[in-house]
Structure formats: structure tokens, C-alpha cells
Amino acid sequence: MQQLAIKDKSITKSMDFVLTEEQLSVRDAARDFAQNVLKPGVIERDENMSFPKEEVKQLGELGFLGMMIDPKYGGGGMDTVSYVLAIEEISKVDASTSVVMSVNNSLVCWGIEEYGTEEQKEKYLKPLAKGEVLGAFCLSEPEAGSDATSQKTTAVDMGDHYLLNGTKNWITNGSTASYYLVMAQTDAEKGHRGINTFIVERDWEGFTVSAKERKLGIRASDTTSLLFQDVKVPKENRIGEDGFGFKFAMKTLEGGRIGIAAQALGIASGAYELSLQYSKERKAFGKEISKHQAIQFKLADMATEIEAARLLCLKAAWQKDRGQSYTLSGSMAKVFASEVAMKTTVEAVQVHGGYGYVKEYHVERLMRDAKITQIYEGTSEIQRIVISRSILKG
């Protein structure tokens, strides 16, 4: 009952005329990895909540964990457009692996390269960009989700170090990362201007990783809570000037939204391609179901909305690559692509009928994976706040 490899690439080919040879090569390499390395074990990993350790290691060896980082720090020196193309292809098959890739690239590596000291880049960025280790981004707390200013984790200045105490939750790569970017309140009277970001190493005394969360989707990625009890953080591990932590988090998340938008796009396009292929093979009432108008209209809507989502993602990536503001375009891409992912995957299950409800045909997993894209790295409601503020400013 295992589905065959995807044959139809009509949608992705529609963008080839605006992509460079290098970008196309990156996309094709990611597609080959997804179809030949990730797909064979994706159902089992999802079912058993098994982290794709060997697959992620191979991603690092191929240069996909530090794609946009300067080669002098071990990265690929690629542009954001290439990154979006790669994330889409990986996400078509395995969103659990793509979120590992997104966090390491967008939230961890980019943040350290953009705002870290030269010493931090040499010590931490190089192994992260090479894929030798993974990183995690630690902002969310039990009482600080969308309201990221309400940080309860504290970092007390002890002279030559900070003393870190608190809890973080919903942390991607929580149990597999070696380095963690942790936001903590150092001066509550200053509100969000009293927040700092610190690089924390996994093996420091007082740092505990909780058990994996049992999730609806992206089950093979490890999502955990983290506990900090009197963890000593050297002064040199603070990123930026005192009080820069909240701004660091918000700037980093702006880029992260492009990655999650691309993930949502990939989930949607993967579900569409499976549905298109299935509709040409499955017969009902004496002919392929693709010849029934009810199915044709579903496929038409899927294709149109996915193409619109892809253009939004590429626009945000293009603006980022040119140093233009991408706050608005990134939020538009994320809110739209995530909602297209949810709608498309539900319809994909419908196109598959009863087969869509079983694991072997992949679309039920894609439907479960799609939901999180409307929630993490800024909910759809938060994206609409960002968009409305931007357009009202003029």
C-alpha cells in the first residue's frame, strides 16, 4: 500500500524561470534527499516518536543545517531563497526533520552570526553550521507563549557570571541540542528591556531536560521542557548589550517565520502531489477520479493556493536577501501558507477517501503535521496583529 514516488512536479517547475542554477541545484538535492533518505522510514519514525538522528546527521554533512551562514564559520553561504526551496522539499516528506533544520538555521545559527561576538561564533557557530551539533531556541515558558514579554526565567548578575533559574517549554531539539539560546529576565523593573539572551551548554550543572512531549504532529522531532536551577552562565555568553535579549528574540523570529512558512508550503505541496497522483490511479464509477469534476475542483483550489503561498514565501526570502524589511511579507507568508497547509491536507485526506485515513498513504500524517504551523513561531492571530500594525503605519 506504500505510495509510489512523486512523479508530477508541475507546480515547482512553474518557478524555474526565476531561479538560478545554484538555487535549482539546492532544491533538487533537497528533493532527492527527502524522497530517497527520509521517505522510507518516515511512517515508522512518526509512529514511534523516533528522532531522525542519522538522517539529521546526513543533512549536516550535506550542508543543510547552516545553509545561510558565511563559509568562514562552516556554513554554506547560500541565500534565503535557496533555504526556502530546500525546506519545502524536506517538508513535503518529513516535517519533523524540517523543523529541526529550520530551528538550527533560522533561529540559532542566524542569531549567533548576526548578533554574536567573534568568540561566540568561533566556539558555537562553527560546529552548529557544520551540523556537528544542534541548537535550540528557548523563549516559550509555561506562562509566556504569545506574550513573550512575561519571562519568569531569571538571570541574576553575580559579577563574573549570571545565575540562571527557571523553566522553558515547547523547545524543539530540546533533548538533542548541545547549545541553547535562552532568554531570561535580568531586571524585572525594566520589563522587556530587562531581558537578555544567553548561550547555555547542555552539560552545565543545574540544567535538566524533561521527557518528550507526546504530540499530535511532528512526532519525530523532540519537543521538551527545560529546567534551570542555579546554572552558572559566563558573562561572555550573553548575546549583545545588556537588555538586548527581547529585541534579539523578535528579530530572530522574523526570519524564523520564513522557515515555518516554507515548512507549511512543503506540507501543502506534498499533500497536493500525493492527491494528484492518487486521483490519476484510483477509479470510481468506471473512470479515474481525476475525471470527476468534484475532484478536479479540489485539485484546482489546492494548486492555486499553493502557488500563491509559494510566491509569498519567495517574496519574503527575496526581501531578506536584499536587506529589505521583511516583517510584513514574512508574517503574510506564514499566516497564509499555514492556513493553506491545513486546508490542503484536509482535502487531501478527502481525495484519498478511506485510504487517506491510514498511515501508508502519508496524507493523514501531513494533516496532523500541518496544524502546528498555525501555532509555533507566532500564532496566526499574532501574525495578523503584525500585519495590521504594518499596513496601518502606511
Side-chain angles (χ1 to χ4, degrees):
M1 292 175 67
Q2 186 84 7
Q3 283 285 68
L4 300 173
I6 298 301
K7 298 176 183 177
D8 190 284
K9 309 292 190 312
S10 58
I11 285 189
T12 49
K13 282 184 177 179
S14 68
M15 294 304 303
D16 287 4
F17 73 99
V18 296
L19 300 175
T20 67
E21 286 300 317
E22 182 180 1
Q23 290 164 346
L24 290 169
S25 295
V26 170
R27 184 199 65 187
D28 292 345
R31 178 182 294 159
D32 180 73
F33 181 82
Q35 295 293 331
N36 296 309
V37 178
L38 292 177
K39 192 170 185 178
V42 66
I43 293 173
E44 183 180 359
R45 290 193 300 273
D46 172 77
E47 194 168 69
N48 299 328
M49 295 174 55
S50 303
F51 184 79
K53 183 178 179 180
E54 287 304 314
E55 291 81 2
V56 169
K57 180 182 177 182
Q58 291 180 56
L59 267 182
E61 292 169 352
L62 289 169
F64 283 116
L65 293 179
M67 292 182 67
M68 299 171 285
I69 302 304
D70 193 310
K72 73 179 181 180
Y73 299 119
M78 301 179 208
D79 60 8
T80 315
V81 169
S82 296
Y83 171 60
V84 163
L85 296 170
I87 286 279
E88 180 186 354
E89 292 300 327
I90 299 297
S91 302
K92 285 180 182 181
V93 173
D94 189 354
S96 293
T97 298
S98 73
V99 73
V100 174
M101 179 178 164
S102 177
V103 167
N104 208 72
N105 274 285
S106 297
L107 300 185
V108 181
C109 286
W110 184 87
I112 296 175
E113 182 179 40
E114 188 74 9
Y115 298 110
T117 64
E118 198 60 34
E119 292 75 16
Q120 290 168 351
K121 294 174 187 178
E122 287 291 327
K123 184 176 182 179
Y124 297 112
L125 181 58
K126 279 188 173 181
L128 286 163
K130 292 177 182 178
E132 296 171 351
V133 298
L134 291 175
F137 184 85
C138 310
L139 178 63
S140 294
E141 296 183 1
E143 298 180 27
S146 292
D147 181 9
T149 61
S150 299
Q151 298 289 302
K152 296 294 188 292
T153 298
T154 60
V156 178
D157 191 338
M158 304 299 288
D160 63 341
H161 67 275
Y162 288 92
L163 208 57
L164 187 66
N165 283 278
T167 301
K168 296 292 180 179
N169 66 346
W170 314 122
I171 306 304
T172 300
N173 299 344
S175 65
T176 52
S178 295
Y179 307 137
Y180 300 77
L181 301 186
V182 182
M183 292 77 199
Q185 184 64 257
T186 55
D187 189 343
E189 293 184 359
K190 293 182 179 178
H192 71 275
R193 292 184 177 85
I195 295 172
N196 279 296
T197 298
F198 305 92
I199 304 174
V200 176
E201 298 182 21
R202 180 189 178 87
D203 59 358
W204 285 350
E205 187 177 353
F207 180 26
T208 304
V209 178
S210 298
K212 286 184 181 180
E213 302 287 354
R214 299 180 64 83
K215 308 188 297 289
L216 171 73
I218 58 168
R219 287 168 52 82
S221 72
D222 62 317
T223 305
T224 70
S225 293
L226 309 174
L227 179 63
F228 305 93
Q229 295 177 301
D230 292 334
V231 178
K232 292 183 178 180
V233 182
K235 278 289 183 69
E236 59 266 26
N237 277 43
R238 188 186 73 199
I239 296 181
E241 297 297 320
D242 187 28
F244 180 68
F246 183 75
K247 185 175 181 180
F248 170 87
M250 295 301 103
K251 284 292 186 182
T252 305
L253 284 170
E254 281 186 6
R257 285 168 188 155
I258 298 175
I260 299 305
Q263 181 191 44
L265 169 63
I267 292 170
S269 56
Y272 162 77
E273 290 178 0
L274 288 166
S275 299
L276 181 62
Q277 178 177 320
Y278 181 81
S279 74
K280 294 176 179 180
E281 299 167 352
R282 174 70 171 177
K283 290 185 177 180
F285 303 105
K287 58 184 177 182
E288 292 82 6
I289 63 172
S290 61
K291 294 180 181 178
H292 293 288
Q293 192 177 70
I295 300 300
Q296 292 173 347
F297 281 9
K298 290 181 186 298
L299 294 171
D301 287 344
M302 288 181 189
T304 301
E305 291 169 0
I306 288 168
E307 189 76 347
R310 181 174 290 111
L311 290 169
L312 281 170
C313 289
L314 290 174
K315 178 184 178 181
W318 183 85
Q319 288 182 318
K320 185 173 185 291
D321 286 336
R322 280 152 185 76
Q324 299 175 10
S325 174
Y326 54 91
T327 301
L328 176 60
S329 59
S331 287
M332 283 181 168
K334 184 181 182 297
V335 72
F336 187 77
S338 64
E339 295 190 357
V340 168
M342 198 69 240
K343 179 180 177 182
T344 300
T345 54
V346 169
E347 289 287 59
V349 171
Q350 194 72 16
V351 169
H352 282 73
Y355 290 108
Y357 215 64
V358 296
K359 294 181 183 297
E360 287 82 0
Y361 281 76
H362 299 288
V363 289
E364 65 84 28
R365 185 188 70 257
L366 292 170
M367 184 179 73
R368 289 186 284 108
D369 289 345
K371 184 58 191 174
I372 192 60
T373 65
Q374 295 178 308
I375 299 171
Y376 60 11
E377 292 194 35
T379 64
S380 293
E381 290 75 19
I382 290 295
Q383 301 316 310
R384 287 184 168 90
I385 291 173
V386 173
I387 293 167
S388 61
R389 286 177 178 171
S390 295
I391 61 178
L392 288 170
K393 281 182 181 177

